[in-house]
Amino acid sequence: MPFRFPVKFDIPKHAYVNARVLRDQFKRIQYADNEVTRNALRYLARNTELPAKVRLEAQLQLTSMPKYTSYSQIKNRCVATGHARSVISDFKLNRTAFRERARAGLIPGVTKASW
Amino acid sequence: MSILKKLPSKARLEQVKKLSSEIFGSTWNPNNIRNGSKILRAPLKGPELVNYYGVNDSMPTFQDFKKWFPELKLVDPREAYRVKMVEDRKKRNKGAPKKKKE
C-alpha cells in the first residue's frame, strides 16, 4: 500500500493511532521542519522598517508554502482515543478517557473531589 | 544635599538607555516600532510539538519484544482476541468485504 503522505515519517507507537492522528502527526513534523523558514519569512513580513516590496514578497512566499507547514493546522488530540474535542491539555486526554482513568486511579495525584 | 544639581536632560537620559541596551544586548526601540524582533526572540515550538504523541524510542512495545525474541513465541492477548473475533465474524458471513480486484 502506498504511503499516503507527501513525506515519509515514523508512525507514533505509544499513542492511539487513527487516520486523523496520523494526519496531525504529519503536520506537526512538517511544522517543525519548516519552522525556521517560516519564522524568517514571518520576520521579514512583519518588520515595518523594511521596504514594502520586501514585506509583500515575504508574505507571498509564506502563503505559497504548503498549508500543512502552518502552526494553525495543528490540533491537540487525545492520546488514548484520538478525539479532538474536549481534550484536557494537562493530561493530553479527552474528557471521557480522563474520567475513566481518574476513576480507576491510573492518573497520579488525581482524585474525585469530596467534602 | 544631593550630588546632582539638576536632573539630566531628556536626550541625555535617552543616550544612557541606548548605551545600556547596547551593553546588555537588548534591542533599542524607543518608538515601539513593529520590527518583528519578537518572532526571532521566541523559542522554537517544533521540537516540543513533534513529541506530543510520545517518543517512539522512549520504550519498546510488545511488537518489538516479539521481533527481538521470536523463539519465545509471545502472544499479545488483546491482539489474539481481536483476530479471534474477526474469524468468528467471518464464519457468520459478517466479515469485511473483499477488496476490489483491478
Side-chain angles (χ1 to χ4, degrees):
Chain A
M1 202 202 251
F3 199 73
R4 295 187 177 204
F5 291 93
V7 187
K8 198 142 182 152
F9 63 95
D10 288 337
I11 291 165
K13 276 183 186 174
H14 300 299
Y16 178 87
V17 172
N18 61 19
R20 278 151 288 172
V21 168
L22 274 186
R23 207 177 298 152
D24 192 52
Q25 175 68 1
F26 169 68
K27 288 171 186 170
R28 281 166 191 277
I29 290 166
Q30 286 303 309
Y31 173 75
D33 286 354
N34 292 287
E35 189 173 15
V36 176
T37 321
R38 285 194 78 92
N39 276 357
L41 287 173
R42 243 152 53 85
Y43 170 74
L44 291 176
R46 306 283 158 83
N47 193 345
T48 48
E49 288 166 330
L50 293 175
K53 207 173 172 186
V54 173
R55 294 181 60 196
L56 182 66
E57 177 60 31
Q59 187 60 47
L60 288 176
Q61 282 193 26
L62 200 57
T63 42
S64 73
M65 286 182 86
K67 217 171 181 182
Y68 53 71
T69 60
S70 153
Y71 176 67
S72 62
Q73 292 286 310
I74 295 169
K75 173 95 184 153
N76 283 355
R77 302 189 75 96
C78 175
V79 164
T81 59
H83 271 281
R85 287 180 178 212
S86 172
V87 175
I88 303 169
S89 52
D90 285 346
F91 303 96
K92 298 184 184 176
L93 286 174
N94 175 39
R95 64 184 171 96
T96 21
F98 170 75
R99 180 170 179 268
E100 283 162 6
R101 264 144 252 257
R103 275 171 65 87
L106 295 173
I107 307 174
V110 175
T111 45
K112 191 177 184 331
S114 171
W115 62 87
Chain B
M1 293 294 274
S2 82
I3 308 157
L4 296 169
K5 289 194 182 89
K6 60 177 167 71
L7 277 174
S9 70
K10 213 160 194 183
R12 197 87 178 120
L13 279 173
E14 290 287 281
Q15 270 182 346
V16 171
K17 278 184 195 161
K18 184 162 186 260
L19 191 65
S20 108
S21 70
E22 271 168 20
I23 291 166
F24 295 108
S26 56
T27 42
W28 170 243
N29 187 4
N31 301 326
N32 296 333
I33 295 163
R34 297 188 177 198
N35 57 12
S37 66
K38 75 169 176 183
I39 292 164
L40 300 184
R41 224 185 305 127
L44 292 181
K45 286 184 272 186
E48 195 192 333
L49 286 173
V50 167
N51 293 339
Y52 181 83
Y53 295 109
V55 184
N56 276 359
D57 299 336
S58 62
M59 57 176 178
T61 60
F62 197 89
Q63 290 288 331
D64 289 333
F65 280 114
K66 248 165 86 168
K67 211 187 287 169
W68 294 340
F69 309 106
E71 69 276 11
L72 289 182
K73 293 190 174 62
L74 295 168
V75 179
D76 184 0
R78 279 180 295 183
E79 179 64 11
Y81 177 73
R82 189 189 71 83
V83 170
K84 180 189 150 282
M85 290 309 281
V86 169
E87 287 305 316
D88 283 6
R89 287 179 71 79
K90 269 187 194 158
K91 264 182 218 158
R92 289 183 285 131
N93 294 327
K94 302 280 186 191
K98 284 262 167 2
K99 283 273 182 197
K100 195 176 86 175
K101 289 248 171 74
E102 289 298 318

